[in-house]
Amino acid sequence: LHPRNALSAGVIDAHYLWQLTPHNIRANADEERRFVHYLAGSQTTIDSVLEQVVQLKLETEKVAGRRNLPNGGQLDEDDNAYDDEVQELDRRCEAKWGAQAYFCDDSALAIISEFFFHWWMNRVDDIKNAQRQRNNGNAVTNFIAGWTGGSQPPQAPGLPEDCWYGFECRTQRSNSVHASRYNHVCLNTHPGGAAVRPGRAG
């Protein structure tokens, strides 16, 4: 059994995790490199990634559990019986997936396989949001610098533009130029496609 903060057991590495991503993006070496660079740049360990992945599982189960309570969990907040049910639900979830939980190899791998790419998509969304905020701030700074004759700050590198087909894109498998030019850690937003969050790696 492995504690939640040491699930890699010295065996799981970045490449191992990347093999758990959906079929088409799994073959995209540029996206795998971006993931590896993220880990190095943010000084994030594999065990930290796995702990965050299990935390995502925990939060997902809590939300799902509340939906199964009477009225979808939308009872009056002053209802003591409802509060007791929520607290009991939280206790069960924490016992199974919380910080003090232990996991066998099979259960750990099942969670990691199901939630790793969800976690990575969330991190990439965070990076894109920070990039947009930084770019907005730079736009204001650049305007002031240009107006006053000051020097413009260098633009920090960020993620490339999203591919319309997202992680489902087939071109990324065979076209290295396309694979490197676009970000594929995103949903399919093509007018003829369906924007569906990925499930278990296929």
Side-chain angles (χ1 to χ4, degrees), residues 2-202:
H2 309 287
R4 198 178 86 158
N5 63 355
L7 290 179
S8 74
V11 175
I12 298 177
D13 60 11
H15 180 68
Y16 182 103
L17 289 177
W18 198 254
Q19 299 312 300
L20 301 176
T21 60
H23 183 66
N24 287 334
I25 199 170
R26 188 184 311 157
N28 188 330
D30 287 279
E31 292 296 355
E32 182 174 358
R33 276 193 292 272
R34 287 177 191 140
F35 171 58
V36 172
H37 289 164
Y38 165 82
L39 296 179
S42 61
Q43 298 183 330
T44 302
T45 66
I46 294 297
D47 278 323
S48 176
V49 169
L50 299 183
E51 188 165 21
Q52 293 174 54
V53 168
V54 176
Q55 182 65 26
L56 179 58
K57 165 72 170 177
L58 169 62
E59 293 166 358
T60 300
E61 291 294 337
K62 284 183 177 181
V63 171
R66 281 168 172 74
R67 289 200 196 102
N68 292 328
L69 294 177
N71 295 331
Q74 299 301 313
L75 294 181
D76 189 324
E77 294 181 359
D78 294 330
D79 189 318
N80 291 330
Y82 173 64
D83 287 344
D84 290 343
E85 288 182 274
V86 170
Q87 290 177 18
E88 178 58 28
L89 167 68
D90 288 350
R91 279 194 292 270
R92 290 198 304 270
C93 288
E94 289 290 343
K96 291 185 70 173
W97 303 292
Q100 305 304 315
Y102 279 75
F103 302 83
C104 68
D105 290 339
D106 288 344
S107 63
L109 182 57
I111 294 170
I112 296 164
S113 298
E114 183 175 3
F115 284 91
F116 166 67
F117 194 59
H118 283 276
W119 172 85
W120 181 229
M121 287 188 76
N122 289 343
R123 294 291 72 73
V124 170
D125 284 344
D126 290 342
I127 293 168
K128 288 192 290 188
N129 288 334
Q131 183 175 314
R132 279 192 291 268
Q133 292 174 4
R134 183 175 63 244
N135 290 342
N136 290 340
N138 284 343
V140 173
T141 302
N142 292 345
F143 172 77
I144 295 173
W147 192 48
T148 61
S151 60
Q152 295 185 359
Q155 297 293 318
L159 291 169
E161 180 183 353
D162 288 351
C163 170
W164 260 12
Y165 295 96
F167 68 88
E168 298 174 351
C169 173
R170 288 175 292 186
T171 304
Q172 67 181 311
R173 294 175 56 84
S174 56
N175 187 327
S176 60
V177 174
H178 177 87
S180 63
R181 181 176 295 172
Y182 296 98
N183 168 50
H184 291 86
V185 186
C186 54
L187 297 176
N188 183 344
T189 57
H190 189 274
V196 179
R197 298 293 283 194
R200 187 181 297 272

